[in-house]
């Protein structure tokens, strides 16, 4: 009989298992993406985790998907700890990287409702350990023992982290979920107002306390400070619309919600 995986809690069965990196790639990518907030880093984390999976003796792992998720989460957590230090010196605000969740790529991203931009922005306010615990416990419902192995904490400590993270997230999540048809209609009206240069119409679509945050990714210029208030945000957006007049605008689904992509050249 082959030796089992040495990591505690993997379990043994009498039959070989499939490859979750083939069968459940979307879920594993989503674990990494929710912890890291960037597509490229998430893809790299999944690749690194796959190499660890292939190097281990996994033929008798009882729960391959959970075991693979633990590997991915541990790799992602290590990457996040390094990323947090880099983001402290980042020029301007840092935003999670959007991911396309249109039907033709739905297999690549599991649980699109849990990768909303609003959720990712809230997760950015957690410590790396809190974020990993919240993603694994609250979203993917991994057992406390498995999560404890990922974050190298005791089970009581994991429960405390989970409680603290849950309280923090619930206090900051959007209070209302918009109807998808209404969301699409408002997005279309938003685009129409920008194209017409209609300041009053655009202001009427925005929450009075709206905050606009720009992140150029270090590649293009962007507003380095948030812009607050419907009037100021509307004027900023119309200024962009005039600057990029004639640019192609593509409607799509980003992070499980209606979005707009502006395409130049």
């Amino acid at each position: 009989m082959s030796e089992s995986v040495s990591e505690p809690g993997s379990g043994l069965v009498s039959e070989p298992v499939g490859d979750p990196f083939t069968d459940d790639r979307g879920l594993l990518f989503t674990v990494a993406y929710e912890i890291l907030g960037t597509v490229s880093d998430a893809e790299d984390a999944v690749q690194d985790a796959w190499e660890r999976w292939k190097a281990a003796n996994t033929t008798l792992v009882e729960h391959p998907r959970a075991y693979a998720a633990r590997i991915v989460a541990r790799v992602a957590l290590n990457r996040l700890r390094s990323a947090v230090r880099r983001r402290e010196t980042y020029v301007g605000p840092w935003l999670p990287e959007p991911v396309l969740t249109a039907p033709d790529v739905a297999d690549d991203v599991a649980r699109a409702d849990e990768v909303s931009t609003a959720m990712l922005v809230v997760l950015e306010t957690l410590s790396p350990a809190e974020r990993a615990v919240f993603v694994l416990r609250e979203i993917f419902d991994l057992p406390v023992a498995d999560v404890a192995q990922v974050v190298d904490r005791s089970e009581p400590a994991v429960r405390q982290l989970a409680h603290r993270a849950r309280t923090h997230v619930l206090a900051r999540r959007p209070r209302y979920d918009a109807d998808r048809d209404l969301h699409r209609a408002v997005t279309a009206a938003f685009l129409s107002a920008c194209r017409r240069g209609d300041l009053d119409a655009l202001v009427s679509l925005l929450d009075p306390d709206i905050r606009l945050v720009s992140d150029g990714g270090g590649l293009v210029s962007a507003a380095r400070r948030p812009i607050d208030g419907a009037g100021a945000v509307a004027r900023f957006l119309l200024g962009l619309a005039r600057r990029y007049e004639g640019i192609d605008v593509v409607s799509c689904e980003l992070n499980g919600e209606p979005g707009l992509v502006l395409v130049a050249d």
Side-chain angles (χ1 to χ4, degrees):
M1 179 180 291
S2 301
E3 292 182 355
S4 65
V5 176
S6 59
E7 184 172 349
S10 60
L12 295 175
V13 291
S14 58
E15 307 220 349
V17 299
D19 185 348
F21 288 87
T22 299
D23 302 335
D24 300 295
R25 183 191 178 281
L27 181 142
L28 298 177
F29 171 83
T30 305
V31 169
Y33 177 63
E34 289 186 333
I35 292 175
L36 289 163
T38 64
V39 175
S40 58
D41 283 347
E43 290 174 341
D44 288 345
V46 172
Q47 179 64 28
D48 288 350
W50 178 80
E51 291 174 0
R52 297 188 185 194
W53 168 272
K54 300 303 288 186
N57 183 354
T58 56
T59 56
L60 298 178
V61 174
E62 184 177 7
H63 301 294
R65 184 169 70 170
Y67 181 68
R70 289 209 310 266
I71 300 174
V72 168
R74 179 168 290 184
V75 172
L77 179 58
N78 289 336
R79 285 176 170 267
L80 178 61
R81 286 169 174 153
S82 298
V84 167
R85 290 190 289 270
R86 293 197 306 271
R87 290 171 193 173
E88 289 175 351
T89 58
Y90 192 80
V91 177
W94 189 93
L95 289 176
E97 181 184 0
V99 63
L100 188 67
T101 51
D104 58 336
V105 294
D107 291 342
D108 289 337
V109 181
R111 305 170 70 108
D113 57 321
E114 296 293 355
V115 296
S116 71
T117 301
M119 169 62 83
L120 289 171
V121 168
V122 172
L123 292 181
E124 283 296 319
T125 65
L126 302 178
S127 71
E130 288 173 340
R131 183 167 181 165
V133 168
F134 182 86
V135 169
L136 296 176
R137 281 292 297 148
E138 300 299 319
I139 298 178
F140 293 98
D141 199 28
L142 258 64
V144 172
D146 287 355
V147 179
Q149 291 180 17
V150 173
V151 297
D152 294 322
R153 305 287 181 91
S154 66
E155 292 186 26
V158 166
R159 291 189 179 93
Q160 289 181 348
L161 284 170
H163 175 73
R164 190 158 63 235
R166 187 186 315 115
T167 301
H168 188 92
V169 170
L170 288 176
R172 290 163 176 78
R173 290 188 74 168
R175 291 172 296 170
Y176 309 106
D177 290 325
D179 175 84
R180 292 187 67 80
D181 290 337
L182 176 60
H183 197 159
R184 290 191 181 92
V186 172
T187 302
F190 169 88
L191 177 58
S192 176
C194 287
R195 283 175 164 166
R196 299 194 314 270
D198 192 332
L199 178 63
D200 291 339
L202 189 54
V203 169
S204 72
L205 291 167
L206 303 177
D207 186 290
D209 297 322
I210 188 173
R211 164 166 283 195
L212 183 145
V213 183
S214 302
D215 178 7
L219 302 175
V220 297
S221 60
R224 293 192 178 185
R225 295 184 180 180
I227 299 173
D228 293 308
V233 169
R235 287 188 291 273
F236 177 81
L237 291 171
L238 291 183
L240 286 180
R242 287 191 294 270
R243 179 177 177 184
Y244 296 108
E245 187 175 0
I247 200 170
D248 292 332
V249 180
V250 180
S251 297
C252 62
E253 185 177 278
L254 293 169
N255 294 72
E257 298 172 324
L260 302 171
V261 175
L262 281 64
V263 182
D265 300 326

